[in-house]
Amino acid sequence: MKTNYFTLITGASQGFGKAMAIECAQRHMNLVLVSLPNTGLNELADILEKIYNVSVFSVEMDLGTSENCISLFEKVKKKHISIKYFINNAGVLSKGFFKDLDTNYILFQISLNISTPTLLIKLFLNDLKQNAPSGILNVGSMASFFNLPKKQVYGGTKAYLLSFSRSLRRELESDNISVSIVCPGGMNTSAALTYQNRTGSWGSRMSIMNPEDAAKLAIEGMLKGREIIIPGMLNRFFMLLNSLLPNPVKDKITAVEMNKFKPEMLCS
């Protein structure tokens, strides 16, 4: 049965975002789906509407600028769509050692991973207040808890989202708006990542999840108002281990990971 409320999901055409869109549609939630142009978003929207009898409004847009974030808000308002749940999934991954990263890529990564979700929440906050009880789900990462080689900027952006989500949760509690953050580990969201995941260490391979399984846990956690959602038993074990191990031991583990890279990659 269709309702008047919508769930907005960014980065919704592929991988984890697509899996969350399908999970929400299965729960009869109307959707606003946003993703880059030419990524199959409109086709996904049509399929979800037909199979699950929900309303889906798709917007092909690059959310890497504040102007486009404002444009998205205006498009949604023109459709008289009211947002009850907001899922910030759009973001870009790490690409390598800091010394090798392109400066423009670094700035774009910070903008899309930090500025975009912050601004979008600000823009849609009145909707969430009017439709309370409502919820926000930010997509973080296990990288926000650990100091990982080649994920320095990415981990920093996700650490911001973690802190932002926890603080905002306390502010919006009185408005009956729940703020959650899901922090998945590695996922098989593409052919390239699936291959990369298979060639990692034993621990990383064992912690890999399919996006459909992580999406189910993420949406369940959001609807139940959980603060931090860690999909996967092994990932939760890593979190427990991280809280118990002293910093010198964790530094040694990081050093071991660094030694796995080729020497020529570490020299300047």
Side-chain angles (χ1 to χ4, degrees), residues 205-252:
R205 292 198 307 271
M206 292 301 100
S207 66
I208 299 301
M209 296 187 69
N210 290 320
E212 295 80 11
D213 297 327
K216 180 178 178 63
L217 295 171
I219 301 305
E220 283 181 354
M222 177 188 73
L223 295 176
K224 291 179 179 178
R226 292 175 179 162
E227 182 173 12
I228 301 176
I229 305 159
I230 309 290
M233 291 185 61
L234 192 54
N235 287 327
R236 291 192 291 274
F237 172 73
F238 287 155
M239 288 296 301
L240 175 62
L241 199 62
N242 183 60
S243 66
L244 296 175
L245 290 176
N247 286 331
V249 175
K250 288 187 281 189
D251 289 341
K252 288 182 179 179

Side-chain angles (χ1 to χ4, degrees), residues 1-217:
M1 179 180 296
K2 295 184 179 181
T3 66
N4 296 323
Y5 303 118
F6 282 72
T7 296
L8 194 157
I9 306 175
T10 65
S13 64
Q14 299 175 346
F16 192 38
K18 180 179 179 180
M20 287 191 289
I22 295 172
E23 180 67 28
C24 288
Q26 290 175 340
R27 296 169 182 265
H28 308 292
M29 300 164 72
N30 298 322
L31 299 169
V32 175
L33 303 181
V34 188
S35 196
L36 291 169
N38 304 314
T39 56
L41 185 68
N42 293 330
E43 292 81 358
L44 174 64
D46 290 341
I47 291 171
L48 295 180
E49 282 192 325
K50 292 175 182 177
I51 294 178
Y52 299 109
N53 191 33
V54 294
S55 297
V56 183
F57 176 47
S58 59
V59 182
E60 292 188 325
M61 178 180 290
D62 182 351
L63 293 175
T65 67
S66 59
E67 292 80 8
N68 282 358
C69 291
I70 294 170
S71 176
L72 171 63
F73 175 74
E74 292 172 346
K75 287 178 182 293
V76 171
K77 291 297 99 182
K78 285 181 181 179
K79 287 287 186 177
H80 304 289
I81 288 173
S82 190
I83 303 300
K84 184 177 179 68
Y85 292 102
F86 195 106
I87 301 176
N88 276 302
N89 174 66
V92 288
L93 299 172
S94 293
K95 296 185 69 171
F97 291 107
F98 187 71
K99 67 179 181 63
D100 299 324
L101 294 178
D102 178 73
T103 300
N104 290 328
Y105 180 82
I106 292 173
L107 296 177
F108 174 71
Q109 185 176 41
I110 293 171
S111 176
L112 185 60
N113 290 11
I114 291 179
S115 300
T116 293
T118 305
L119 176 57
L120 288 175
I121 290 173
K122 180 71 172 176
L123 290 170
F124 285 98
L125 188 57
N126 283 336
D127 269 33
L128 299 173
K129 288 182 178 180
Q130 293 169 5
N131 295 325
S134 56
I136 297 167
L137 177 65
N138 290 321
V139 176
S141 168
M142 289 288 287
S144 63
F145 300 103
F146 301 95
N147 304 320
L148 302 175
K150 303 179 76 173
K151 293 188 177 181
Q152 63 305 107
V153 178
Y154 176 76
T157 62
K158 295 303 183 179
Y160 165 85
L161 273 184
L162 176 63
S163 177
F164 173 64
S165 299
R166 300 188 74 180
S167 297
L168 190 63
R169 178 183 178 89
R170 283 146 184 81
E171 283 190 28
L172 299 182
E173 186 176 8
S174 59
D175 294 307
N176 207 11
I177 301 173
S178 174
V179 181
S180 305
I181 182 165
V182 57
C183 297
M187 286 188 288
N188 292 322
T189 55
S190 68
L193 280 175
T194 299
Y195 173 78
Q196 179 179 314
N197 291 335
R198 287 176 179 173
T199 60
S201 64
W202 178 87
S204 63
R205 292 198 307 271
M206 292 301 100
S207 66
I208 299 301
M209 296 187 69
N210 290 320
E212 295 80 11
D213 297 327
K216 180 178 178 63
L217 295 171

